[in-house]
């Protein structure tokens, strides 16, 4: 009998085991190859698995993916520092943070493109609350962790914010957080 790397979801839906196992094997191979670029932290952050009954428990897999992403991000940071030098790397990270901050400082309700009134997007009020918190982190250093940003989930509303834009900005926030360590 083979031991499972994660608890199972039981009767609830969880991540398809085979898909998770294949991705984790690829991630391990990329990490052990010790070459930057074979897999990036952004790829770990954006991976998605099918949901099935009796799969791996979502929270356990997501926590492991967060740790794997952190590991790849640390490697990318070290590589960037050695390739660019500290000054250029800091400038690049600062530029990304400023672009995100500029977006998040837009007026509430107008920070992201909205979907049409017949379509569903992220709830504007919920996204704006998170955007305010992240903006305070970027501008003044208020405490926010990458795990908190990764765990954000929004309900849907007709005419809400376009999901892809919100997700892209949150991904950039995590990248900045991981870049500064």
């Amino acid at each position: 009998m083979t031991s499972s790397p994660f608890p199972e979801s039981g009767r609830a839906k969880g991540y398809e085991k085979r898909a998770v196992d294949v991705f984790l094997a690829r991630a391990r191979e990329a990490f052990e190859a010790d070459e930057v670029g074979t897999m990036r932290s952004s790829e770990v952050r954006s991976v998605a698995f099918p949901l099935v009954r009796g799969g791996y428990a979502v929270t356990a897999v997501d926590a492991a993916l967060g740790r794997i992403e952190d590991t790849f991000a640390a490697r990318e940071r070290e590589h960037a520092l050695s390739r660019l030098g500290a000054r250029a790397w800091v400038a690049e990270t600062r530029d990304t943070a400023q672009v995100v901050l500029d977006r998040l400082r837009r007026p509430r309700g107008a920070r992201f493109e909205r979907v049409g009134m017949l379509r569903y997007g992220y709830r504007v009020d919920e996204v704006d609350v998170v955007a305010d918190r992240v903006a305070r982190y970027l501008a003044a250093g208020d405490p926010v962790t990458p795990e908190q940003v990764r765990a954000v989930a929004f309900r849907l509303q007709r005419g809400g914010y376009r999901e892809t834009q919100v997700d892209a900005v949150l991904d950039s926030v995590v990248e900045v957080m991981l870049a500064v360590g």
Side-chain angles (χ1 to χ4, degrees), residues 6-135:
F6 300 104
E8 295 181 2
S9 62
R11 294 172 43 142
K13 287 192 173 187
Y15 290 141
E16 184 183 69
K17 293 176 184 178
R18 175 147 171 68
V20 171
D21 292 341
V22 166
F23 181 80
L24 292 178
R26 226 180 88 228
R28 176 185 300 274
E29 188 176 298
F31 183 77
E32 289 174 352
D34 202 25
E35 295 174 21
V36 174
T38 54
M39 180 176 283
R40 300 198 42 87
S41 60
S42 58
E43 185 178 349
V44 177
R45 184 173 44 263
S46 65
V47 70
F49 304 111
L51 289 172
V52 297
R53 289 201 188 283
Y56 288 139
V58 170
T59 53
V61 174
D62 286 349
L65 290 173
R67 291 188 300 273
I68 293 167
E69 178 187 358
D70 292 347
T71 301
F72 278 98
R75 179 185 284 177
E76 291 163 14
R77 181 175 54 244
E78 291 304 315
H79 177 73
L81 281 169
S82 67
R83 181 176 49 86
L84 299 173
R87 186 170 295 190
W89 175 79
V90 167
E92 188 176 290
T93 302
R94 187 180 311 127
D95 290 346
T96 301
Q98 188 61 55
V99 167
V100 170
L101 185 57
D102 291 346
R103 156 106 33 202
L104 299 181
R105 284 184 168 161
R106 291 178 181 178
R108 290 172 78 69
R111 290 178 171 146
F112 299 93
E113 185 177 311
R114 306 280 283 266
V115 297
M117 286 309 294
L118 299 178
R119 301 198 53 208
Y120 286 92
Y122 288 147
R123 279 191 57 134
V124 172
D125 59 337
E126 293 175 358
V127 172
D128 283 343
V129 166
V130 170
D132 289 341
R133 186 163 181 215
V134 169

Side-chain angles (χ1 to χ4, degrees), residues 139-160:
D142 283 11
V144 177
T145 66
E147 291 75 24
Q148 290 171 320
V149 177
R150 288 180 188 126
V152 167
F154 304 108
R155 292 179 291 175
L156 300 176
Q157 76 175 63
R158 287 186 191 267

